[in-house]
Amino acid sequence: MTYVLQNAVLPLDRDPDLLPLYVDPETWSVVDDEPVRVSSVAQLGNILGRTRARIVAGRRVSFGTYFNAFPASYWQHWTSVREVTLSVHTSGPATVLVYRSTGSGTKQRIATREVDGETTSTFPITLDQYSDGGWIWFDVAADESNAIFEGAEWATEQEPMRAGKASIGITTFNKPEYCIETLSALAGDPGVLDVIDRIFVVDQGTQRVDAEPEYPTMAAALGETLQVITQPNLGGSGGFSRAMSETLARPESDFVQLLDDDVRIEPESIRRSIVFGRFASVPTIVGAHMFDLLDRPKLHAWAEVVDDAPFMWRALYQEKLPHDFSRANLRQSPQLHMRLDADYNGWWMCLIPVEIIREIGLSLPAFIKWDDAEFCVRARDAGYPTVSVPGVALWHVSWVGKDDSIDWQAYFHARNRIVAALLHSRTPDGGTLIRHSRRLDLKHLMMMQYYAVALRHRALRDILSGPDHMWRNLATAMPDARSLAADYPETVTHKDSGVPLRARHGRQVFSRVNRRQFNNPTGVRLRWFTLSTLIAHWLHAPRPENVAQPEVEFGKEDAQWWRIPNYDSALVSAASGAGKNIYTRDRAAFRRMLVDSVVLHRQLRRRWTVLSRSYRTAQPELTSPRRWAETFENIR
């Protein structure tokens, strides 16, 4: 039997920004080691359908793109598939050229075939040279007249390790229009529906998905496949745990595919992730990459890891992200040809085998933040890898225009990171985590961000109280954190009212050219800056005129922690650009919180071993399907 691993597809939307992710009908050169577009023959009019495109006479189109190249190294490393067949369907006079790359991005020709008329060109390929990395792709070049690309697929005759379907779990809070769009994309792709058992929409908001005018059409198209579940807001962890719980009750489902609500999907990516999960040598969490929904050629998340010593997440080659495919395609980007191994994948799109859930449990009752990373690290410790597969991706609202480290989410950032470390850190006393946490407190205090510090200290006190607090405040921690904002004036975003807010000494602008001026202090300068700032803020009250009116104004990018502490108050643009926040020094709050930070972090360090043992002992109950089921029943 033949199993299709990957279909060549063209964009669903007639959006020129998307073309570089699917086809590359352009001429490139290299100037000063940078890829440069010389000329473009890309036209939306040449896209004839989901799988068909016109190749203009005398032109060449490469399918060596993010969504249409085959990630050979991942299939070789993580599955037992060793023989694949590429089939390319064309009509008209053309030449089909097949290439591969090495882990360093070096291109090598595999095969060439001249064709005419309606032709299917097949290329058997062995996956045995891709341990470090590498893709396989094909180009189609038209001869003296136009040719038509009719489709292509990568297939194998090897039997999969598991053959069940996947249930999709979408967790949503007041984003019904996104959910309807996702349901529409799923309903319109029969190939995806063939591998889906159920679609669970876990609606935790007040703007209901099933109240949207388009919902009856979606419900009719999807039939019994679609199930909308309503429950109070338990955050991402509560919504996704509900989807996991419902999937466990479905014997037809071997996987649950978690999806965020504020996304645009590529349906073929969902099919690919399920197929990859079926062929994986061991039960494997299959993660998707993330593109920016508001700047769609930009890749923001590739492969993410958790560094054990600080117990902090990061993307591999973070300095190279975001990667803009409109400026540099796959073939001009050597770093994208390496095989990158992840520790975890964000739950914007993540496929989890049910056998992993049965062994290690559901999500922590974390509400949001770190639930995805903790789950994947827990799975890793049980012997189950997470693979972020290239060519499997969606578009999600990126972190540009957000700063959730200083809003109500600061509580969950602090608490869940430390809880995850107590559960999984392999370094004595959490390594450098406590020191890093204390430094974050100092940074926020010097920047007059007292609300964030108050939430972080609430998180530390809850952690010190023991693991039972996580179930106790699952439904209340978020509203409690938000209500605390009323005590902190810096949380008020002053919208444009027609009368501009002004600072006494105007806006401070810093050069992006003078790097010495722009960079933060390090080494001895950093220690001296921190010590002198803490002493000054402890000893000196702000001047009355700077309390009455902000002393200076900063744009968001200029409002760095080594600049703001030099002033008594600052008017700072919000990350979203929707207004401005006023930060004012409060000596009493600074003194109280600085002392609290020292005391709380000292307690955490002193009790780390005992707390770690307590949380690890409680982990089975924290992630228990039975306990989650009781929670869902009690909140109805």
Side-chain angles (χ1 to χ4, degrees), residues 1-5 81 83-85 155-160 279:
M1 184 173 179
T2 300
Y3 298 92
V4 175
L5 308 180
V81 174
E83 302 294 334
V84 298
T85 299
T156 186
E157 294 184 359
Q158 183 164 326
E159 293 294 320
F279 279 93

PDB file of all heavy atoms in Angstrom, residues 1-5 81 83-85 155-160 279:
ATOM      1  N   MET A   1       0.848  -1.198   0.000  1.00  0.00           N
ATOM      2  CA  MET A   1       0.000   0.000   0.000  1.00  0.00           C
ATOM      3  C   MET A   1       0.884   1.249   0.000  1.00  0.00           C
ATOM      4  O   MET A   1       1.936   1.274   0.649  1.00  0.00           O
ATOM      5  CB  MET A   1      -0.915   0.012   1.219  1.00  0.00           C
ATOM      6  CG  MET A   1      -1.894   1.161   1.263  1.00  0.00           C
ATOM      7  SD  MET A   1      -3.066   0.986   2.630  1.00  0.00           S
ATOM      8  CE  MET A   1      -4.016   2.493   2.412  1.00  0.00           C
ATOM      9  N   THR A   2       0.454   2.256  -0.731  1.00  0.00           N
ATOM     10  CA  THR A   2       1.215   3.506  -0.811  1.00  0.00           C
ATOM     11  C   THR A   2       0.633   4.537   0.165  1.00  0.00           C
ATOM     12  O   THR A   2      -0.573   4.745   0.211  1.00  0.00           O
ATOM     13  CB  THR A   2       1.171   4.075  -2.237  1.00  0.00           C
ATOM     14  OG1 THR A   2       1.747   3.112  -3.129  1.00  0.00           O
ATOM     15  CG2 THR A   2       1.946   5.373  -2.322  1.00  0.00           C
ATOM     16  N   TYR A   3       1.526   5.165   0.920  1.00  0.00           N
ATOM     17  CA  TYR A   3       1.127   6.186   1.881  1.00  0.00           C
ATOM     18  C   TYR A   3       1.737   7.526   1.481  1.00  0.00           C
ATOM     19  O   TYR A   3       2.957   7.629   1.307  1.00  0.00           O
ATOM     20  CB  TYR A   3       1.598   5.817   3.288  1.00  0.00           C
ATOM     21  CG  TYR A   3       1.010   4.523   3.806  1.00  0.00           C
ATOM     22  CD1 TYR A   3       1.680   3.317   3.606  1.00  0.00           C
ATOM     23  CD2 TYR A   3      -0.203   4.507   4.473  1.00  0.00           C
ATOM     24  CE1 TYR A   3       1.148   2.121   4.076  1.00  0.00           C
ATOM     25  CE2 TYR A   3      -0.745   3.312   4.952  1.00  0.00           C
ATOM     26  CZ  TYR A   3      -0.061   2.135   4.755  1.00  0.00           C
ATOM     27  OH  TYR A   3      -0.593   0.951   5.211  1.00  0.00           O
ATOM     28  N   VAL A   4       0.900   8.533   1.313  1.00  0.00           N
ATOM     29  CA  VAL A   4       1.380   9.863   0.946  1.00  0.00           C
ATOM     30  C   VAL A   4       1.878  10.566   2.198  1.00  0.00           C
ATOM     31  O   VAL A   4       1.127  10.778   3.155  1.00  0.00           O
ATOM     32  CB  VAL A   4       0.277  10.697   0.266  1.00  0.00           C
ATOM     33  CG1 VAL A   4       0.772  12.113   0.004  1.00  0.00           C
ATOM     34  CG2 VAL A   4      -0.150  10.027  -1.037  1.00  0.00           C
ATOM     35  N   LEU A   5       3.140  10.913   2.196  1.00  0.00           N
ATOM     36  CA  LEU A   5       3.744  11.607   3.325  1.00  0.00           C
ATOM     37  C   LEU A   5       3.547  13.114   3.234  1.00  0.00           C
ATOM     38  O   LEU A   5       3.358  13.789   4.244  1.00  0.00           O
ATOM     39  CB  LEU A   5       5.245  11.298   3.386  1.00  0.00           C
ATOM     40  CG  LEU A   5       5.653   9.819   3.371  1.00  0.00           C
ATOM     41  CD1 LEU A   5       7.166   9.696   3.445  1.00  0.00           C
ATOM     42  CD2 LEU A   5       4.982   9.062   4.497  1.00  0.00           C
ATOM     43  N   VAL A  81      11.246   5.283   8.003  1.00  0.00           N
ATOM     44  CA  VAL A  81      11.096   5.383   6.544  1.00  0.00           C
ATOM     45  C   VAL A  81      12.470   5.597   5.907  1.00  0.00           C
ATOM     46  O   VAL A  81      13.199   6.521   6.276  1.00  0.00           O
ATOM     47  CB  VAL A  81      10.150   6.542   6.170  1.00  0.00           C
ATOM     48  CG1 VAL A  81      10.124   6.743   4.664  1.00  0.00           C
ATOM     49  CG2 VAL A  81       8.754   6.278   6.699  1.00  0.00           C
ATOM     50  N   GLU A  83      12.781   4.625   2.212  1.00  0.00           N
ATOM     51  CA  GLU A  83      12.561   4.736   0.774  1.00  0.00           C
ATOM     52  C   GLU A  83      11.323   5.584   0.514  1.00  0.00           C
ATOM     53  O   GLU A  83      10.240   5.284   1.025  1.00  0.00           O
ATOM     54  CB  GLU A  83      12.372   3.353   0.141  1.00  0.00           C
ATOM     55  CG  GLU A  83      13.534   2.401   0.353  1.00  0.00           C
ATOM     56  CD  GLU A  83      14.801   2.845  -0.356  1.00  0.00           C
ATOM     57  OE1 GLU A  83      14.680   3.563  -1.376  1.00  0.00           O
ATOM     58  OE2 GLU A  83      15.902   2.476   0.097  1.00  0.00           O
ATOM     59  N   VAL A  84      11.494   6.666  -0.227  1.00  0.00           N
ATOM     60  CA  VAL A  84      10.362   7.510  -0.612  1.00  0.00           C
ATOM     61  C   VAL A  84      10.378   7.670  -2.127  1.00  0.00           C
ATOM     62  O   VAL A  84      11.429   7.525  -2.775  1.00  0.00           O
ATOM     63  CB  VAL A  84      10.400   8.901   0.065  1.00  0.00           C
ATOM     64  CG1 VAL A  84      10.321   8.783   1.570  1.00  0.00           C
ATOM     65  CG2 VAL A  84      11.649   9.677  -0.351  1.00  0.00           C
ATOM     66  N   THR A  85       9.213   7.966  -2.653  1.00  0.00           N
ATOM     67  CA  THR A  85       9.098   8.214  -4.100  1.00  0.00           C
ATOM     68  C   THR A  85       8.466   9.574  -4.320  1.00  0.00           C
ATOM     69  O   THR A  85       7.389   9.864  -3.781  1.00  0.00           O
ATOM     70  CB  THR A  85       8.243   7.140  -4.778  1.00  0.00           C
ATOM     71  OG1 THR A  85       8.870   5.864  -4.602  1.00  0.00           O
ATOM     72  CG2 THR A  85       8.099   7.424  -6.267  1.00  0.00           C
ATOM     73  N   ALA A 155       5.789   9.905  -1.271  1.00  0.00           N
ATOM     74  CA  ALA A 155       5.060   8.741  -0.749  1.00  0.00           C
ATOM     75  C   ALA A 155       6.032   7.623  -0.397  1.00  0.00           C
ATOM     76  O   ALA A 155       7.203   7.615  -0.813  1.00  0.00           O
ATOM     77  CB  ALA A 155       4.032   8.257  -1.773  1.00  0.00           C
ATOM     78  N   THR A 156       5.534   6.665   0.381  1.00  0.00           N
ATOM     79  CA  THR A 156       6.301   5.481   0.735  1.00  0.00           C
ATOM     80  C   THR A 156       5.376   4.277   0.764  1.00  0.00           C
ATOM     81  O   THR A 156       4.158   4.426   0.954  1.00  0.00           O
ATOM     82  CB  THR A 156       6.993   5.646   2.104  1.00  0.00           C
ATOM     83  OG1 THR A 156       7.857   4.524   2.347  1.00  0.00           O
ATOM     84  CG2 THR A 156       5.968   5.716   3.226  1.00  0.00           C
ATOM     85  N   GLU A 157       5.957   3.109   0.594  1.00  0.00           N
ATOM     86  CA  GLU A 157       5.186   1.876   0.718  1.00  0.00           C
ATOM     87  C   GLU A 157       5.418   1.195   2.066  1.00  0.00           C
ATOM     88  O   GLU A 157       4.865   0.132   2.329  1.00  0.00           O
ATOM     89  CB  GLU A 157       5.542   0.916  -0.425  1.00  0.00           C
ATOM     90  CG  GLU A 157       5.106   1.438  -1.794  1.00  0.00           C
ATOM     91  CD  GLU A 157       5.357   0.450  -2.909  1.00  0.00           C
ATOM     92  OE1 GLU A 157       5.900  -0.641  -2.621  1.00  0.00           O
ATOM     93  OE2 GLU A 157       5.008   0.768  -4.062  1.00  0.00           O
ATOM     94  N   GLN A 158       6.214   1.849   2.897  1.00  0.00           N
ATOM     95  CA  GLN A 158       6.460   1.280   4.223  1.00  0.00           C
ATOM     96  C   GLN A 158       5.226   1.447   5.101  1.00  0.00           C
ATOM     97  O   GLN A 158       4.535   2.468   5.042  1.00  0.00           O
ATOM     98  CB  GLN A 158       7.660   1.968   4.867  1.00  0.00           C
ATOM     99  CG  GLN A 158       8.040   1.389   6.219  1.00  0.00           C
ATOM    100  CD  GLN A 158       9.427   1.830   6.637  1.00  0.00           C
ATOM    101  OE1 GLN A 158      10.308   1.991   5.781  1.00  0.00           O
ATOM    102  NE2 GLN A 158       9.625   2.025   7.921  1.00  0.00           N
ATOM    103  N   GLU A 159       4.961   0.473   5.945  1.00  0.00           N
ATOM    104  CA  GLU A 159       3.809   0.528   6.833  1.00  0.00           C
ATOM    105  C   GLU A 159       4.082   1.466   8.012  1.00  0.00           C
ATOM    106  O   GLU A 159       5.191   1.475   8.562  1.00  0.00           O
ATOM    107  CB  GLU A 159       3.466  -0.872   7.365  1.00  0.00           C
ATOM    108  CG  GLU A 159       2.971  -1.835   6.310  1.00  0.00           C
ATOM    109  CD  GLU A 159       1.623  -1.405   5.739  1.00  0.00           C
ATOM    110  OE1 GLU A 159       0.770  -0.938   6.521  1.00  0.00           O
ATOM    111  OE2 GLU A 159       1.435  -1.531   4.510  1.00  0.00           O
ATOM    112  N   PRO A 160       3.091   2.251   8.427  1.00  0.00           N
ATOM    113  CA  PRO A 160       3.288   3.137   9.582  1.00  0.00           C
ATOM    114  C   PRO A 160       3.324   2.352  10.890  1.00  0.00           C
ATOM    115  O   PRO A 160       2.854   1.212  10.968  1.00  0.00           O
ATOM    116  CB  PRO A 160       2.068   4.060   9.523  1.00  0.00           C
ATOM    117  CG  PRO A 160       1.024   3.258   8.814  1.00  0.00           C
ATOM    118  CD  PRO A 160       1.757   2.406   7.819  1.00  0.00           C
ATOM    119  N   PHE A 279       4.250   7.566  11.536  1.00  0.00           N
ATOM    120  CA  PHE A 279       5.460   6.873  11.106  1.00  0.00           C
ATOM    121  C   PHE A 279       6.615   7.004  12.106  1.00  0.00           C
ATOM    122  O   PHE A 279       7.641   6.339  11.925  1.00  0.00           O
ATOM    123  CB  PHE A 279       5.905   7.399   9.739  1.00  0.00           C
ATOM    124  CG  PHE A 279       5.154   6.804   8.585  1.00  0.00           C
ATOM    125  CD1 PHE A 279       4.023   7.424   8.079  1.00  0.00           C
ATOM    126  CD2 PHE A 279       5.569   5.613   8.006  1.00  0.00           C
ATOM    127  CE1 PHE A 279       3.324   6.884   7.016  1.00  0.00           C
ATOM    128  CE2 PHE A 279       4.886   5.068   6.936  1.00  0.00           C
ATOM    129  CZ  PHE A 279       3.748   5.688   6.444  1.00  0.00           C
TER     130      PHE A 279
END
